[in-house]
């Protein structure tokens, strides 16, 4: 129920509805008022954009002149089949939908969509308002390689980077440097129209310039930074000539600015949904259900093995029979920053857990989110959430107290964990023995990154979290439920 609340809070239609206040012939967005005068244009790109566009059209459709959105291949049919008609455009919509980017990779369809979006933006005047809807997956859905780079060349470079283990920050820094529309390019083409971008964030820390590679955020690509990334992944020497040529020249957009002035003043970028929002709503739901919620951080990242260790330590801390040994807090404070959690958040959380332990509250619900990393060594089927859940189950194994406790859940808010049908899994300290009793060797599955096979076989898949298509994505959500300590041993 709490995971459902997290996902519900960041539904594409919900976040758009909450961010746009319609007042007769104007709208208020993030405290800014915009006059509507049949001057509204709409573009969008990302996995959650169809539902965002449907809601935007419901709110402001009477002033909408034209729109183009680039969304994943097959999404309209999928939404239809899953009974999510409210996320589809109405039949006589003014918004053109282009589906593309099969397997999350830029393709000719996505490139066509990008061209149409660029064309629409270029034709706008200072009287126009351009609403830009952005969500995760937007980079692949808006490919506009800077000539003479071809789509294939750009794809090769980004694929090699991703394959070599580059982070989304590094990947999108390079994408921005090779694209006409990323890194503020779209806002540049839309000048002098007013641009308002509504952004559903799928990147830790919600960095505007990196989510979908920041098409509405003017950002300078520093040659040194780009060089450093390409050299780090040993790709510099194998770059195509066209890519070298583009990287070697200053960004023409900022040089040949239409009127030599800074065009970024006409742009408003607003994050309307994020992991923090999802955690906040899950925390509210937890309180309603009688838990005492504490949000650790929406920025959990790094190796899944360290992340599981951190949750194991926090559970140990919360369930200590007496005063927790100081070594636990010391290790928590050492490990936390390595997985993206700040010392302040660790101290605040441990204080809440300690109060819960000593003051006899009911159950506590620790919430966190982010996107840990699994280093793939095996050939199994799984995802980072299922693997994290397995590892946390092992960490909780020899926790003595309390009798029914703690339970851990890890789930991807998009409803899909890696290439599997599950979003994640739910575990506790009994996982190892349960597996052993069913003849499953948990460590074998871990070595082979085979977490989905493991959970599918274990207890007829009962521990799998399978919410189906959620139509949104704000990374992963983690929950650790800590039951109350029995009175007699407090
Ligand atoms: N067998 C496996 N075990 C564990 N993790 C895996 C496995 N196979 C793939 N992954 C992980 O799944 C992720 C890729 O899947 P997915 O496409 O859902 O991720 P993503 O696109 O990064 O996520 P999102 O859609 O949430 O942005 C990578 O983090 C990868 O390491
Ligand atoms: O589209 C992208 O670049 C990623 O999903 C991060 O936003």
């Amino acid at each position: 129920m709490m995971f459902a609340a997290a996902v519900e809070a960041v539904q594409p239609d919900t976040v758009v509805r909450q961010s746009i206040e319609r007042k007769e012939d104007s709208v208020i967005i993030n405290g800014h008022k915009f006059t509507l005068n049949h001057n509204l244009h709409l573009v969008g790109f990302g996995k959650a954009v169809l539902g965002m566009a449907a809601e935007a059209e419901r709110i402001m459709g009477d002033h909408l002149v034209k729109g183009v959105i680039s969304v994943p291949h097959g999404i309209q049919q999928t939404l239809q089949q899953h009974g999510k008609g409210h996320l589809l455009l109405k039949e006589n919509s003014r918004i053109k939908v282009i589906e593309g980017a099969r397997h999350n990779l830029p393709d000719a369809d996505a490139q066509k969509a990008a061209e149409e979006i660029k064309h629409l933006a270029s034709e706008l005047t200072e009287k126009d308002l351009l609403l830009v809807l952005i969500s995760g997956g937007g980079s692949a859905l808006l490919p506009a390689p800077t000539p003479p780079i071809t789509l294939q060349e750009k794809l090769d470079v980004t694929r090699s980077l991703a394959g070599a283990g580059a982070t989304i920050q590094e990947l999108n820094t390079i994408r921005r440097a090779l694209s006409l529309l990323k890194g503020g390019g779209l806002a540049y083409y839309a000048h002098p129209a007013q641009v308002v971008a509504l952004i559903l964030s799928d990147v830790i820390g919600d960095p505007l310039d990196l989510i979908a590679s920041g098409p509405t955020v003017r950002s300078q690509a520093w040659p040194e930074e780009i060089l450093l990334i390409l050299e780090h992944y040993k790709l510099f020497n194998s770059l195509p000539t066209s890519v070298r040529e583009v990287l070697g020249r200053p960004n023409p957009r900022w040089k040949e600015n239409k009127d030599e002035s800074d065009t970024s003043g006409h742009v408003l970028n607003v994050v309307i949904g994020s992991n923090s929002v999802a955690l906040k709503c899950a925390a509210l739901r937890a309180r309603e259900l009688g838990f005492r919620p504490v949000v650790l951080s929406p920025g959990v990242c790094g190796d899944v093995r360290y992340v599981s260790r951190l949750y194991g330590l926090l559970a140990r801390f919360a369930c200590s029979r007496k005063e927790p040994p100081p070594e636990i807090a010391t290790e928590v404070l050492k490990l936390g920053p390595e997985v993206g959690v700040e010392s302040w958040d660790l101290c605040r959380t441990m204080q809440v857990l300690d109060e819960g332990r000593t003051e006899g509250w009911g159950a506590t619900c620790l919430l966190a989110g982010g996107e840990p990393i699994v280093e793939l060594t095996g050939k199994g089927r799984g995802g980072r959430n299922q693997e994290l859940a397995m590892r946390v189950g092992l960490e909780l194994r020899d926790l003595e107290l309390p009798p029914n406790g703690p339970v851990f859940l890890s789930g991807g808010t998009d409803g899909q964990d890696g290439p599997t049908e599950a979003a994640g899994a739910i575990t506790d300290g009994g996982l190892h023995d349960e597996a052993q009793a069913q003849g499953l060797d948990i460590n074998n599955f871990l070595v082979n990154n085979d977490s989905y096979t493991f959970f599918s076989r274990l207890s007829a898949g009962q521990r799998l979290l399978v919410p189906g298509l959620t139509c949104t994505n704000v990374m992963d959500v983690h929950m650790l439920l800590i039951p109350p300590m029995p009175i007699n041993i407090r």
Side-chain angles (χ1 to χ4, degrees), residues 441-456:
D441 181 343
I442 195 165
N443 287 313
N444 270 350
F445 286 95
L446 267 180
V447 168
N448 201 25
N449 299 115
D450 210 9
S451 50
Y452 179 71
T453 312
F454 172 77
F455 281 116
S456 303

Side-chain angles (χ1 to χ4, degrees), residues 350-371:
M350 282 194 284
Q351 192 179 344
V352 174
L353 296 179
D354 198 34
E355 286 164 4
R357 197 180 60 79
T358 53
E359 291 170 19
W361 296 334
T364 303
C365 174
L366 184 145
L367 295 139
E371 202 168 81

